[in-house]
Amino acid sequence: MANDLIRYLQNVPFAAELSAWANIESCSDDAEGLAQFRQVLCERLASCGGEVEPVGATHVLARWPGAGKPILVLGHYDTVYPRGTLATQPVVQRGAQLFGPGVVDMKGGLLIGCVAIQALRALGRMGPRPIWFLCTSDEELGSPTSRSAIEELARQAEAALVLEAAGNGGALKTARKGVGLYELSISGRAAHAGVAPEQGRSALLELAHQTIWLHELNDAEQGTTVNVCVASGGTATNVIPAEARADVNVRVRTAAEGERIAAALAVRQPVIEDVTIQFSGGINRPPMERTPAIATLFGKAQSLASEFGLELAETSTGGGSDGNFTAALGVPTLDGLGPTGGGAHALHEHVNLDSFVPRTALFARLLETL
Ligand SMILES: [Zn+2]
């Protein structure tokens, strides 16, 4: 069963197509670049038989018919690299690795999805279930405009397969932390720092108190992290600062921990008299918890992978993806089905080209048999 698939995939020019894709810059906020890549993607999805339709202004859904509940495939085509990045970080192949912006996060994964379907069709082996392949343009922003569509499609789906990059050693991701983003706003009272400092109420001193308190919410055993990642305040070197603000990043392994943090922030009082504080924001991505259904789905992937000698491990990560949304709805979700590589969001972002054939084969087998 697996051999003709592998043979087919060995003749697919993955590196050439991925190079072309990475050479189209498509940063999350670059409407023109996104439109240009979207055009290429729509043509590619249509070329392997997908019925392509727009979702919202910038997302794309391709569908293949079948019977029963569909398999939802998720990928995003936005990257974190602003236009012009290619000038200093060109797409280049070195040995068995292809470097370039977005190759592993996650145009390589999108390519695996397209080629898997193309191969199944070419071999007359499309599975029984419909396939819904949703490609979104705002994942790197926290999916503000695509979340509702992802959730609506997921509610109807048998399972969700996410083509984000693989974990270390090719591991699939069966758990992801939830992500909370909070903003802390602090108002104190300005005063001359030399003439009447006692009349001032320092927003920055309050921020220091709050920062230490926030970090005390960390709980390594529960996997909860709370970090003040951006902070600012004050106006001049001789003024007691009246205003300060901070961005707080929260990561939780369980929904219960997310609620614990939210409840603590909701009732938190200022330390300094006459100062006001306010936390806004909340949990942006719920945690993807490893449910028994996810474990079963992983077991299935593991045995499919063993057909062609791929030893598949599973891992968890503190990073979020759109798989968090589907898993939180109780839809069995497997993530990290994309290529192996490294350096996501960094200068050395790359994929391992030899991972494409086995991982595309695995993805095709999942689509064929789920
Ligand atoms: Zn990604």
Side-chain angles (χ1 to χ4, degrees), residues 255-273:
E257 273 294 285
E259 283 155 24
R260 176 178 75 88
I261 301 295
L265 300 191
V267 300
R268 177 64 180 165
Q269 297 295 315
V271 173
I272 302 171
E273 220 178 308

Side-chain angles (χ1 to χ4, degrees), residues 70-314:
I71 301 166
L72 179 62
V73 178
L74 291 178
H76 65 87
Y77 66 92
D78 60 323
T79 76
V80 296
Y81 301 93
R83 181 171 289 245
T85 297
L86 282 173
T88 52
Q89 191 178 343
V91 181
V92 58
Q93 185 174 341
R94 292 192 198 104
Q97 294 182 320
L98 184 75
F99 291 76
V103 290
V104 78
D105 187 12
M106 56 168 281
K107 287 174 177 170
L110 292 175
L111 184 58
I112 283 178
C114 290
V115 175
I117 295 169
Q118 169 196 321
L120 288 175
R121 281 170 50 88
L123 299 169
R125 281 172 50 172
M126 284 292 270
R129 291 188 184 279
I131 298 169
W132 294 355
F133 191 167
L134 180 67
C135 303
T136 61
S137 69
D138 65 348
E139 196 275 344
E140 300 291 2
L141 304 174
S143 310
T145 68
S146 59
R147 178 176 181 168
S148 59
I150 292 165
E151 291 179 332
E152 191 194 318
L153 297 172
R155 279 192 196 95
Q156 305 166 61
E158 172 72 13
L161 303 178
V162 187
L163 287 162
E164 292 277 6
N168 281 344
L172 298 192
K173 294 165 181 173
T174 53
R176 285 182 179 272
K177 285 186 181 178
V179 184
L181 301 173
Y182 290 89
E183 181 177 5
L184 168 59
S185 307
I186 302 176
S187 287
R189 188 195 301 149
H192 195 297
V195 178
E198 72 285 353
Q199 291 175 15
R201 297 291 181 271
S202 172
L204 277 175
L205 180 58
E206 180 67 34
L207 177 59
H209 285 300
Q210 295 299 333
T211 300
I212 290 167
W213 175 78
L214 283 162
H215 282 246
E216 283 165 359
L217 294 172
N218 277 285
D219 186 335
E221 207 165 296
Q222 294 289 331
T224 300
T225 63
V226 180
N227 282 288
V228 173
C229 290
V230 182
S232 61
T235 52
T237 57
N238 55 359
V239 179
I240 303 293
E243 305 291 337
R245 63 167 303 285
D247 292 316
V248 186
N249 187 293
V250 177
R251 305 271 163 155
V252 291
R253 209 183 279 153
T254 62
E257 273 294 285
E259 283 155 24
R260 176 178 75 88
I261 301 295
L265 300 191
V267 300
R268 177 64 180 165
Q269 297 295 315
V271 173
I272 302 171
E273 220 178 308
D274 302 331
V275 170
T276 61
I277 66 168
Q278 200 197 341
F279 286 99
S280 53
I283 295 290
N284 165 255
R285 292 184 190 279
M288 169 178 168
E289 299 182 45
R290 186 184 184 278
T291 59
I294 287 180
T296 303
L297 190 55
F298 172 72
K300 171 129 207 194
Q302 206 171 27
S303 72
L304 289 173
S306 69
E307 289 173 2
F308 30 88
L310 189 62
E311 236 178 83
L312 208 57
E314 65 179 313

